[in-house]
Amino acid sequence: MNKKVLIGLTSILIACNSIIMTTVTNATPEENIEKSTIQIKELDKQIVDLKDELSNLNGEISQLDTKLKENKEEINKTEDNIKSTELQITKRKKIIEEKQEVLGKRLGSMYKGNLYSNPLLVVLKSDSFSDAISNIQAAVKIISLDKKLINDIDKEKEALIVNIDELNNKKDELKTLESSTQNSLEEIKSKKKSQQDALSKLSDEKKKASSIIEENENSLISHSVSVINSSTSSESAIKEAISTLKSLLPQINTSSVKNKAQNAINKGTSTLQSLKESNSNKGNSNTGNIDRGSSPAKKTYTMEATAYFDGLLTASGLKPIRNPAGLSTVAVDPSVIPLGSKLYIDGYGYAIAADTGSLIKNLRIDLYMNSREECYNFGRRNVTVSLIAYPNEW
């Protein structure tokens, strides 16, 4: 395993150990939630990096698999050529043996006194001078052909040996290449397995951290859900609960909590329809959100306000949003305003105290905006903050 992968896995394991250590402290629920959101952000970055690394490894594995396939095809082709050459060798050996046999017989007959073994004997045996010349020429030609035959036999032997040696060398090279490629493939697969194990561990840790976020989100919607589920709730209370859930819905991360909130909204809407039909002669009740004046503030603060944007996750695990017609996100000092409280801010609207900040201390508040330009335009100013409801009261 290379150094880069080892360093990456080491940092991941350190991060996981850090996460485990932070969850075993005797922290308050608010501190646990905030720590969980920090852990999730860190884990998400680690997970993204791991997935990128796994994607690269999958690409390398694919390339090596293709290389192995091509190499295997080349080995098979070479082995077929070797078999074909071996067949040719067998056939040529037979031809060579036949030629050697013919040559052997001819040479044997010459040594036994055949007329072609002695040119003088050829002349004496001839019937005429012209016949003698013809016989001598024939004898010389036979001797020349025999020499050529011997040379051809030697060359064929040498060519076959060279051919088979070249093919065997090529096969050995291909086998070596195959072994090297296979080793590289196994090494990358081992890296991939290590990365997948690390990814699995990170995912498990994220689930643990997310369970704390899920618990907090369930707590945020519990009051409104209980109002809708209660058979004694008034029409206005149900409308308020529906409005609250609709405002919270875009900020919730956990799918199971989203489903629970949506089911409660559906149930509340159905209940309102039934109440409307049974009380058709009573006219419509007050609709929508609570007006600040209709529900007295538990506390009122004059705070120095700044603005921020571009966040993915708040300290309470919710998604930050800016919704002037609904519920926006603000960052507070939890020692002044508990996280999960419902606020009304003059000039900004309703908000949930869902986030914190290192500079947000005492009577400071940070209002979430949809762009940097909105933050610049807002600047820094004093605002009146009314605490409408504490956590689990709305």
Side-chain angles (χ1 to χ4, degrees), residues 128-244:
S128 63
F129 181 76
S130 61
D131 191 28
I133 294 298
S134 297
N135 287 336
I136 289 172
Q137 289 176 341
V140 171
K141 187 174 182 181
I142 290 172
I143 293 170
S144 174
L145 287 172
D146 286 343
K147 286 182 179 180
K148 184 176 182 304
L149 182 60
I150 292 170
N151 288 334
D152 288 345
I153 289 171
D154 290 338
K155 286 180 180 178
E156 280 192 69
K157 284 181 179 179
E158 290 175 6
L160 288 172
I161 291 170
V162 169
N163 196 1
I164 199 70
D165 286 344
E166 287 177 350
L167 287 171
N168 280 320
N169 289 337
K170 183 178 180 181
K171 181 181 176 181
D172 290 341
E173 289 173 3
L174 289 169
K175 287 287 186 182
T176 301
L177 179 61
E178 181 184 40
S179 177
S180 173
T181 305
Q182 188 66 48
N183 289 338
S184 298
L185 183 61
E186 292 304 321
E187 181 182 352
I188 292 176
K189 284 183 176 180
S190 176
K191 291 179 188 177
K192 181 179 176 181
K193 177 65 167 56
S194 299
Q195 298 287 51
Q196 286 174 327
D197 290 343
L199 182 61
S200 177
K201 187 170 184 179
L202 288 178
S203 298
D204 288 342
E205 292 303 324
K206 184 177 178 181
K207 285 179 183 177
K208 292 177 185 176
S210 297
S211 67
I212 297 175
I213 303 299
E214 180 180 1
E215 184 179 346
N216 180 57
E217 290 177 340
N218 271 318
S219 176
L220 281 174
I221 69 169
S222 62
H223 179 76
S224 296
V225 171
S226 65
V227 168
I228 291 171
N229 288 333
S230 174
S231 59
T232 60
S233 296
S234 66
E235 185 176 350
S236 62
I238 294 173
K239 285 182 178 180
E240 181 185 339
I242 291 173
S243 177
T244 296

Side-chain angles (χ1 to χ4, degrees), residues 241-256:
I242 291 173
S243 177
T244 296
L245 290 175
K246 285 183 176 179
S247 296
L248 287 172
L249 205 55
Q251 304 182 52
I252 295 172
N253 286 290
T254 312
S255 57
S256 61

Side-chain angles (χ1 to χ4, degrees), residues 40-57:
I40 288 173
K41 290 175 184 177
E42 292 174 351
L43 288 167
D44 279 340
K45 183 179 182 305
Q46 295 281 0
I47 287 170
V48 167
D49 290 343
L50 268 180
K51 286 184 176 178
D52 286 343
E53 181 66 21
L54 282 170
S55 178
N56 292 334
L57 290 176

